[in-house]
Amino acid sequence: MDELGNERRDDKAGKRPVKAYEAGSAKGFSDYAGPFLPAAPSQEGSSQDDPLKAGTAFIIACAENHLNADRRIHGGVLMSLAASAMRGNLGISHPRARFRTISINCDFVAAGEAGARLEGRARIVRATRSVIFSACEILSGERVLLTASGIFEVEQAAPDVAR
Amino acid sequence: MRETSPALPSPVERMPPEGFSPMALVDPFEAHMGPIFLRQLEDQSGNGEIEAAFYVDERHVREDGVAHEGMMMTFADSILGAAALAAFGEGIVVTLSMQTSYMGEAKLGDLVICRTHFDHKTQSLLFNSGRFFVGENLVMTASCMWKLVGTA
């Protein structure tokens, strides 16, 4: 048992394991809450040369920690994957810029089942000098679970962007 | 979210902010990200308006030390869901839609406090919203639509 008493809690919580966690060990939200991992764009015909068309994908293999009380995937996991996918996409298309998130809207189209492998596909809808509009879908196989849109403010215009 | 499941422990222990007490979290993902603290408000309307808080720690932030939007939305989902459930009295509610706007950023170590507001309810739908503060600063607003899908 660690000093936080995780092992004792595992027993109390029955079949739900409390994921081991030690203070100082977390490497940020995307790792701890996910991990949300970048994946190669799976869409055919996406152009790597054009960031407006090159979609990026982020994936998560859902575990016990990602569920709600009904053993469906928690909405927070879907929204988090969408946020990570959209931000990850911006990091690829605008590698030197810093973005401030202004808006994220999410619609819950279908429920995700325990054990699913989710893919978040994000793309840029329009990029201006100061604002970027993104869209994202979270998929479980072919099934759409969540659609999301985001607006991000560009804090520093990178020299690369204008090229 | 449902009312009848047993509360789950969170992997981090913290003293609640003054006036708050630990919130019983029944969803594994919320327990995983918690703890979350709750303060009961004088609820004269019976529409389930609540105040809740969490401390931004290393599990909640992006590389730049700012609270990840996913954590802010998860917190919003948890609190506004609890408020929706309280307004319906019983049953199971699922999120249909959530809109979030970001006026500022919560950073590592900050205490984020959410105050919920009941907007409208039909037999099976509920609309509510939340304002999220760090100190005096409004950092986020969230509007949420809930569907009552059954009884617990």
Side-chain angles (χ1 to χ4, degrees):
Chain A
M1 187 187 301
D2 66 23
E3 59 187 6
L4 294 169
N6 281 336
E7 194 177 314
R8 173 178 55 79
R9 289 170 171 193
D10 285 357
D11 297 338
K12 268 192 182 171
K15 63 183 173 184
R16 189 190 81 90
V18 173
K19 195 172 175 182
Y21 166 74
E22 284 175 40
S25 70
K27 289 178 283 184
F29 180 87
S30 292
D31 180 65
Y32 178 83
F36 304 118
L37 301 170
S42 62
Q43 285 155 304
E44 290 278 324
S46 67
S47 167
Q48 291 298 323
D49 299 330
D50 184 353
L52 297 182
K53 288 183 181 165
T56 49
F58 273 64
I59 55 165
I60 177 175
C62 288
E64 289 292 314
N65 280 312
H66 301 116
L67 302 180
N68 63 26
D70 290 322
R71 298 193 56 76
R72 304 284 182 79
I73 297 167
H74 193 284
V77 175
L78 304 180
M79 294 191 287
S80 299
L81 179 57
S84 284
M86 287 193 284
R87 272 203 162 262
N89 201 18
L90 299 184
I92 292 168
S93 62
H94 299 71
R96 297 192 187 175
R98 185 182 186 276
F99 302 97
R100 206 174 73 77
T101 304
I102 318 175
S103 164
I104 296 180
N105 296 339
C106 298
D107 292 338
F108 293 81
V109 179
E113 303 301 331
R117 176 189 178 279
L118 305 184
E119 183 175 333
R121 286 185 196 160
R123 66 189 176 87
I124 292 172
V125 176
R126 180 161 188 249
T128 72
R129 276 176 194 276
S130 58
V131 183
I132 298 177
F133 299 86
S134 294
C136 179
E137 284 188 344
I138 305 298
L139 296 119
S140 174
E142 296 290 303
R143 210 157 68 101
V144 177
L145 302 188
L146 179 127
T147 59
S149 60
I151 309 177
F152 303 88
E153 183 183 34
V154 184
E155 289 199 328
Q156 301 161 12
D160 285 357
V161 176
R163 198 165 58 195
Chain B
M1 169 173 296
R2 59 168 77 209
E3 218 169 19
T4 52
S5 306
L8 300 168
S10 286
V12 168
E13 281 186 23
R14 290 205 63 149
M15 286 290 290
E18 195 177 340
F20 289 77
S21 55
M23 181 174 169
L25 300 174
V26 299
D27 290 347
F29 186 63
E30 290 173 19
H32 182 55
M33 301 311 302
I36 294 175
F37 304 103
L38 195 61
R39 182 159 75 170
Q40 290 298 337
L41 300 178
E42 288 285 333
D43 189 8
Q44 293 160 339
S45 65
N47 286 322
E49 294 182 350
I50 56 178
E51 191 169 81
F54 81 101
Y55 287 102
V56 179
D57 70 33
E58 58 173 1
R59 301 168 301 149
H60 305 141
V61 294
R62 307 190 307 235
E63 284 175 4
D64 57 5
V66 173
H68 194 285
E69 300 84 347
M71 182 58 206
M72 297 298 289
M73 291 190 286
T74 298
F75 178 57
D77 195 50
S78 174
I79 301 316
L80 291 170
L85 198 58
F88 276 122
E90 59 175 4
I92 301 165
V93 294
V94 296
T95 325
L96 288 184
S97 181
M98 179 181 287
Q99 287 81 48
T100 53
S101 299
Y102 300 83
M103 295 80 192
E105 294 172 327
K107 297 192 171 66
L108 191 64
D110 283 346
L111 176 68
V112 179
I113 295 181
C114 165
R115 294 186 197 114
T116 71
H117 185 258
F118 169 84
D119 294 315
H120 184 69
K121 163 173 96 160
T122 70
Q123 269 199 322
S124 63
L125 289 179
L126 189 139
F127 303 78
N128 61 9
S129 49
R131 292 159 68 79
F132 298 75
F133 295 88
V134 172
E136 298 289 307
N137 297 324
L138 182 68
V139 295
M140 184 178 97
T141 62
S143 297
C144 213
M145 191 187 303
W146 301 89
K147 186 165 171 54
L148 183 69
V149 293
T151 48

